Amino acid sequence: MRKIIVAGNWKMNLNFEEAKSLFMALNQADLSQNRLEKVLIFPPYPYLKPLLDMKDNEVIQVGAQNISSQEKGAFTGEVSANMLSSIGIKYTLVGHSERRALSGDTHELLKEKVNRALESGLIPVFCCGETLDQRENGSFKQVIENQLQESLFHLSNDDVSKVIIAYEPVWAIGTGKTASTAQAEEMHEFIRGVFSSIYGAELGEKLHILYGGSCNAANSSELFSSENVDGGLIGGASLKIDEFTEIISNLNG
Ligand code: PGA
């Protein structure tokens, strides 16, 4: 039985003082839920090391929101997977829809980012999701399969077994419009099936697939009780300590 992973994507929010107090409150919260595997927090780069140093709760892990597709060198403004790994970071988001839409993260670039992450020992949380147009014109399953195919399916069994998937329909991100539990379950089951058909049922069964897109304390319990939904990647609601910890404590009920 897969346990739940609750992840918070802080995006480009919070000053350092706000980030420290939010993280400290989470660090001190009671996160001892049987169904909880871990809590992943993705703060902006400058806060990674300070927050990692503050952390004394084993359940919490800190990850980066993005990495460079390059190993090292003359790439001003970029941060490599190796650098992150050298300060103790173990996770990174790859392919968040905001980066696909606003920062030119193509399938090919994301494939390289996945490679750099795995080479450096980082676990990629690979995001995929369709736009509203793609949902409405019925191509959404093909779109997701293509995103996975182009950036992940070159990986060996061993490497792909380290990856966590986040299914985040673009039309649900930051819009307050959550996918229904049935829509999420349909897509998660589909994604698991695609992995199983390529890498075998055993790997498919173990794969963690998180849901993202306006996930909050009011809808998380129902979403996370769905068979193929193994947790959430949470944006807005991860910035509010009461709501974020409620999402975790709801795992009990
Ligand atoms: P949201 O963002 O929860 O604010 O919709 C989710 C995400 O972008 O990962």
Side-chain angles (χ1 to χ4, degrees):
M1 183 64 183
R2 295 175 303 271
K3 286 194 172 185
I4 297 291
I5 296 175
V6 178
N9 175 11
W10 289 1
K11 309 192 181 185
M12 199 172 73
N13 290 299
L14 309 176
N15 65 31
F16 189 36
E17 289 309 314
E18 291 164 342
K20 278 192 293 189
S21 60
L22 176 58
F23 190 79
M24 206 21 122
L26 184 64
N27 192 53
Q28 288 165 350
D30 177 12
L31 304 177
S32 55
Q33 317 293 340
N34 282 341
R35 285 180 67 209
L36 182 69
E37 180 158 318
K38 54 176 92 83
V39 174
L40 304 177
I41 297 296
F42 295 94
Y45 280 140
Y47 309 158
L48 288 173
K49 179 69 171 138
L51 297 188
L52 202 59
D53 290 345
M54 279 168 62
K55 179 177 98 68
D56 59 11
N57 188 328
E58 284 295 296
V59 178
I60 302 173
Q61 295 284 346
V62 178
Q65 295 176 15
N66 179 45
I67 54 168
S68 173
S69 61
Q70 303 287 336
E71 266 174 60
K72 63 174 181 177
F75 301 101
T76 302
E78 294 288 318
V79 175
S80 75
N82 247 323
M83 291 171 180
L84 294 164
S85 160
S86 74
I87 60 165
I89 296 297
K90 298 201 168 63
Y91 292 83
T92 182
L93 297 181
V94 176
H96 189 279
S97 69
E98 284 148 21
R99 294 210 53 89
R100 290 179 191 263
L102 307 171
S103 303
D105 275 11
T106 60
H107 297 314
E108 187 54 36
L109 211 65
L110 295 176
K111 176 179 177 181
E112 291 309 317
K113 291 187 179 197
V114 167
N115 290 342
R116 295 299 87 74
L118 290 166
E119 284 161 14
S120 303
L122 300 185
I123 296 177
V125 178
F126 183 84
C127 307
C128 58
E130 79 283 1
T131 62
L132 187 58
D133 266 4
Q134 292 161 340
R135 163 98 1 207
E136 285 175 352
N137 71 24
S139 65
F140 52 99
K141 286 189 177 167
Q142 190 51 50
V143 166
I144 302 301
E145 189 165 355
N146 193 44
Q147 289 174 349
L148 301 173
Q149 170 74 45
E150 295 294 322
S151 305
L152 289 182
F153 291 163
H154 63 288
L155 295 174
S156 67
N157 234 280
D158 189 36
D159 274 343
V160 92
S161 69
K162 296 171 189 150
V163 175
I164 296 170
I165 300 296
Y167 168 63
E168 300 202 299
V170 179
W171 47 270
I173 295 180
T175 58
K177 212 167 136 189
T178 323
S180 68
T181 304
Q183 284 172 322
E185 173 59 22
E186 181 192 15
M187 290 310 292
H188 285 226
E189 188 184 17
F190 171 74
I191 291 167
R192 195 176 306 288
V194 173
F195 274 86
S196 296
S197 70
I198 296 173
Y199 290 102
E202 196 185 331
L203 189 141
E205 266 313 299
K206 287 191 182 144
L207 183 72
H208 270 92
I209 310 174
L210 316 184
Y211 168 79
S214 300
C215 186
N216 56 39
N219 58 33
S220 62
S221 297
E222 193 185 321
L223 282 162
F224 299 173
S225 66
S226 201
E227 190 182 337
N228 287 290
V229 180
D230 310 313
L233 178 54
I234 296 154
S238 73
L239 298 169
K240 302 174 205 146
I241 187 65
D242 290 348
E243 178 141 25
F244 194 63
T245 49
E246 194 181 333
I247 291 171
I248 296 166
S249 57
N250 280 347
L251 291 173
N252 256 350

